[in-house]
Structure formats: structure tokens, C-alpha cells
Amino acid sequence: MASKGKVITCRAAVAYGPGQPLVVEQVQVDPPQKMEVRIKILFTSICHTDLSAWKGESEAQRAYPRILGHEASGVVESVGEGVIDMKEGDHVVPIFNGECGDCIYCKSSKKTNLCGKFRVNPFKSVMDSDGKCRFRNKDGIPIYHFLNTSTFSDYTVVDYACLVKIDPHAPLDKMTLLSCGVSTGLGAAWNTADVQTGETVAVFGLGAVGLAVVEGARTRGASKIIGVDINPEKRIKGEAIGITDFINPKEIDVPVHEKIREMTEGGVHYSFECAGNMEVLREAFLCTHDGWGMAIVLGIHPTPRLLSLHPMELFDGRRIVASVFGDFKGKSQLPLFAKQCMAGVVKLDEFITHRLPFEKINEAIQLLLDGKSLRCLLHL
């Protein structure tokens, strides 16, 4: 491409302070350095992790100015020195939880999907190779990075470990969902819990991640999938994707875990907490069956509060774990997952509820804040 090796001037939505509307303006994007890739973003979307960072809910998220965003798809514009697994024009999906392939974590097979060098790190706001930013605004002020990706920009620069090459025939708009939400939720059902035919599941919070859990449990043949949400409108979407039962905590006069135990002869095999709420997490833990139940944490918890859990409660055989990126190893496993989506194994259409041009990114944020969208796809 004609832009190879040159600084690119393009649009980006820049966060200048907590809760402030993103400013769509011209920024400069430097060429990729050693083991980096510059990509042209074609589609991006917003998830609750982006909202948490936009609100500045933790110290790790208060680096300004900053370009947020970590769900996207696009094409490679140019590669830096040493990158051999992709080239200009390749279709790619950025991932916030990287995979270098060489560290002790990446070589651990099925023990972890974390990477020693490029794992998800909310404190990281610069590139790994030189500790500098690849973005600047019109005044030459550096603009910080976010979650290894920064996709709210026409062009972005990412480390080679945080980019996945996918089938060139895959629909790039839908592949955006694989950067975070769908991979995280569905992967938690497939990889973390390994739901089996006939088992029972409860999903707390029916946003995009929660509904992706539902999709994962449905494809595995779960006999009962209970959706829990305080928004009654989530029932319709949940039933369309696969929930068999719906509970609105505001409409029952007993704790949710008691209701679920009653519905499932003692509790579900697996529960998934996708709300980022401490009280909800405890209910998710208690609704699992004693002896073998497992609660999987997926929600973002920026609060410094700790979980109220007595160690002796674990002696009943219930377990509680967390799942990062659905326990997918991004670079080595996501290409196959993309093919499965192309083959119709997973229904992606249900997750895209709105489409808007990139300039209306603040409208997309409001749609998610109001609970009116699962994913609003922004076309760049």
C-alpha cells in the first residue's frame, strides 16, 4: 500500500476524560515497529469493558487522552520487521488477550490461555517494544492505547501476538464479535465449563456475553438454560437464542438461588455471572448444585469490594472460577472458531442489534447504557 512506512492521518474517537463524550477527530498513526502490525479497521463495536473504561471506573482506566475499543475486524495495512505470519491485505481480528506462542504460558497446552507477555492488562497504555504510543492528536500530544487494541480508529497498531488471521471469505462485520463478547461467553460454556448434553445452566445477566453463554450451552445440548436479568425485555432475546426459563429477581419473593435450586432439583451444573455485580456473583455461586456445581465469573468488577464467601462454603463441593476470553487461545484457536461460525454452528446474527456509522459512536454508547442494544456495529 502507498501508506506503508508512513504516518497516516485518519479519524479516531478519543476519550479525553471520564464519562465525557468521545471526540471524533483527526489523529496521526505511526507505522508499525518491530513485531507490530498496522491494520485498517472496517468494523468495531462497544462492549461493557469499553464502557467501564469510558467511565474511568478504576485507576487503570484513567490514562488520557486515550483511544478505546477492543472489538473489531479489518485488514492488514502493513507489518513491522519480524512479522512472518501475516501480510498486507490479510483479514484479521484484534484480540485483547494475546498469544506469543513462545512463553511458558503459551506452551502450556490446555492449562491456560494467558500469555506471559501479551495477556490482557488494563494498566498497559503503550506499545511493548519501546514503551511509546503510536497515536498523536493534531497538537502532537501522544494518545494512549487500550487493552492491546484501540479499535476506535480508522487505523491502529497492535503487537503481532494480539492479531488473528482469519478466513478471507468470513463476513468481517460478524467477525467483529469474535474479538471479545461472543468468544468470551461461548468459550466459557465450551472451554471453561465444557457443558455436556443434558446438563443444566444458569446465566446471570443477558447482555451480549451472557447470551453468548446461552448460545454455547444450547449448541452443547444443555437440558435447561435459565436466564436471570432484571430487565424483562431480555426475556424475548434470551428465548430467541436458547433460554428455556427466565427469572426476573424483582418478580420473585425468594432469593434467586433458592428459586433455581427448586427448579433444578438442588441446583444447576454450571452458573455464569455476567453482570459484574458482587451480590449477583454470590447468588450465582449458591445456585449451583452441591457436590459438583461450578460458578464461572465473566462480569467486570471494578469495585474494590471483596466477595462475601466463607471458606467452609467450598466444602460442599461447589467451585468458583473465572474465565478470560472464554479460555480460547486467540491466535491458535480463533481461526477454527471463525470457520465454525461461517458454517452456522454458532448464530451470530442475533447479537448485532444496531448498525451506525462511526461518527455516531456516542449514540452507540448510549444505546448500550440504556440496555437497548447487544452490539451496535460501527462501520468505518
Side-chain angles (χ1 to χ4, degrees), residues 154-372:
D154 283 326
Y155 289 86
T156 189
V157 177
V158 301
D159 291 296
Y160 75 100
C162 298
L163 200 59
V164 178
K165 179 180 175 181
I166 59 172
D167 191 309
H169 298 104
L172 278 174
D173 56 346
K174 298 175 186 178
M175 292 299 103
T176 297
L177 302 172
L178 273 58
S179 280
C180 179
V182 169
S183 296
T184 296
L186 187 139
W190 282 7
N191 304 324
T192 312
D194 191 18
V195 176
Q196 299 296 304
T197 300
E199 293 184 325
T200 55
V201 166
V203 183
F204 290 73
L206 296 179
V209 171
L211 290 174
V213 173
V214 172
E215 175 70 356
R218 179 195 67 79
T219 61
R220 283 294 183 88
S223 61
K224 187 179 285 291
I225 305 173
I226 304 170
V228 183
D229 204 293
I230 59 174
N231 183 349
E233 296 181 5
K234 294 294 182 69
R235 179 174 197 153
I236 299 173
K237 197 66 172 178
E239 289 176 343
I241 291 181
I243 65 170
T244 59
D245 302 85
F246 179 78
I247 296 175
N248 185 336
K250 294 182 176 180
E251 297 177 352
I252 58 176
D253 54 8
V254 296
V256 174
H257 76 269
E258 291 186 11
K259 181 67 175 177
I260 292 177
R261 286 186 187 181
E262 176 188 328
M263 296 168 61
T264 57
E265 299 182 354
V268 293
H269 290 85
Y270 304 102
S271 69
F272 300 82
E273 188 277 319
C274 309
N277 180 287
M278 205 64 69
E279 285 73 26
V280 172
L281 177 52
R282 179 162 177 78
E283 288 295 303
F285 172 73
L286 292 174
C287 85
T288 61
H289 203 292
D290 66 336
W292 58 75
M294 177 188 289
I296 295 104
V297 183
L298 295 171
I300 301 298
H301 290 259
T303 173
R305 291 179 55 205
L306 301 180
L307 175 63
S308 176
L309 183 67
H310 195 283
M312 295 306 295
E313 291 180 303
L314 297 171
F315 278 74
D316 285 331
R318 296 184 179 91
R319 292 171 290 165
I320 182 169
V321 300
S323 178
V324 176
F325 198 47
D327 279 326
F328 274 117
K329 283 181 175 288
K331 287 180 76 74
S332 56
Q333 295 180 333
L334 225 56
L336 174 59
F337 182 37
K339 288 183 179 294
Q340 290 174 303
C341 293
M342 292 172 65
V345 175
V346 179
K347 299 182 295 185
L348 295 180
D349 291 327
E350 296 285 349
F351 293 90
I352 301 174
T353 55
H354 297 76
R355 294 174 182 260
L356 289 173
F358 181 64
E359 291 82 1
K360 294 188 177 182
I361 189 170
N362 289 299
E363 292 184 29
I365 289 175
Q366 195 60 50
L367 284 169
L368 193 57
L369 285 171
D370 293 341
K372 295 180 179 179

Side-chain angles (χ1 to χ4, degrees), residues 6-262:
K6 301 177 182 178
V7 173
I8 291 177
T9 300
C10 67
R11 296 171 306 168
V14 183
Y16 280 97
Q20 296 180 16
L22 301 183
V23 179
V24 179
E25 62 181 7
Q26 294 291 303
V27 301
Q28 292 184 317
V29 185
D30 289 335
Q33 301 302 305
K34 185 176 181 179
M35 302 306 291
E36 296 174 358
V37 182
R38 187 163 62 183
I39 59 176
K40 178 176 176 56
I41 299 293
L42 298 181
F43 300 95
T44 190
S45 55
I46 302 166
C47 86
H48 283 280
T49 304
D50 298 314
L51 286 189
S52 179
W54 172 71
K55 294 174 183 176
E57 291 181 339
S58 73
E59 289 294 335
Q61 297 162 340
R62 294 175 191 162
Y64 299 109
R66 196 170 201 174
I67 295 177
L68 304 175
H70 66 289
E71 281 192 348
S73 59
V75 297
V76 173
E77 178 270 340
S78 59
V79 300
E81 178 188 349
V83 177
I84 59 174
D85 63 340
M86 57 191 70
K87 62 184 184 306
E88 296 173 12
D90 281 345
H91 289 198
V92 290
V93 170
I95 50 174
F96 63 90
N97 189 54
E99 181 187 356
C100 73
D102 295 320
C103 70
I104 188 173
Y105 295 88
C106 288
K107 292 180 178 179
S108 66
S109 184
K110 296 182 178 181
K111 292 186 182 298
T112 183
N113 69 332
L114 296 179
C115 174
K117 195 173 184 180
F118 297 103
R119 71 174 69 187
V120 55
N121 180 2
F123 289 93
K124 183 179 177 182
S125 57
V126 294
M127 296 303 293
D128 189 79
S129 63
D130 58 6
K132 296 180 180 179
C133 302
R134 299 291 177 261
F135 302 107
R136 297 184 304 279
N137 67 11
K138 63 181 184 299
D139 298 318
I141 297 173
I143 302 174
Y144 292 109
H145 295 249
F146 174 68
L147 284 186
N148 293 321
T149 49
S150 292
T151 62
F152 293 167
S153 176
D154 283 326
Y155 289 86
T156 189
V157 177
V158 301
D159 291 296
Y160 75 100
C162 298
L163 200 59
V164 178
K165 179 180 175 181
I166 59 172
D167 191 309
H169 298 104
L172 278 174
D173 56 346
K174 298 175 186 178
M175 292 299 103
T176 297
L177 302 172
L178 273 58
S179 280
C180 179
V182 169
S183 296
T184 296
L186 187 139
W190 282 7
N191 304 324
T192 312
D194 191 18
V195 176
Q196 299 296 304
T197 300
E199 293 184 325
T200 55
V201 166
V203 183
F204 290 73
L206 296 179
V209 171
L211 290 174
V213 173
V214 172
E215 175 70 356
R218 179 195 67 79
T219 61
R220 283 294 183 88
S223 61
K224 187 179 285 291
I225 305 173
I226 304 170
V228 183
D229 204 293
I230 59 174
N231 183 349
E233 296 181 5
K234 294 294 182 69
R235 179 174 197 153
I236 299 173
K237 197 66 172 178
E239 289 176 343
I241 291 181
I243 65 170
T244 59
D245 302 85
F246 179 78
I247 296 175
N248 185 336
K250 294 182 176 180
E251 297 177 352
I252 58 176
D253 54 8
V254 296
V256 174
H257 76 269
E258 291 186 11
K259 181 67 175 177
I260 292 177
R261 286 186 187 181
E262 176 188 328

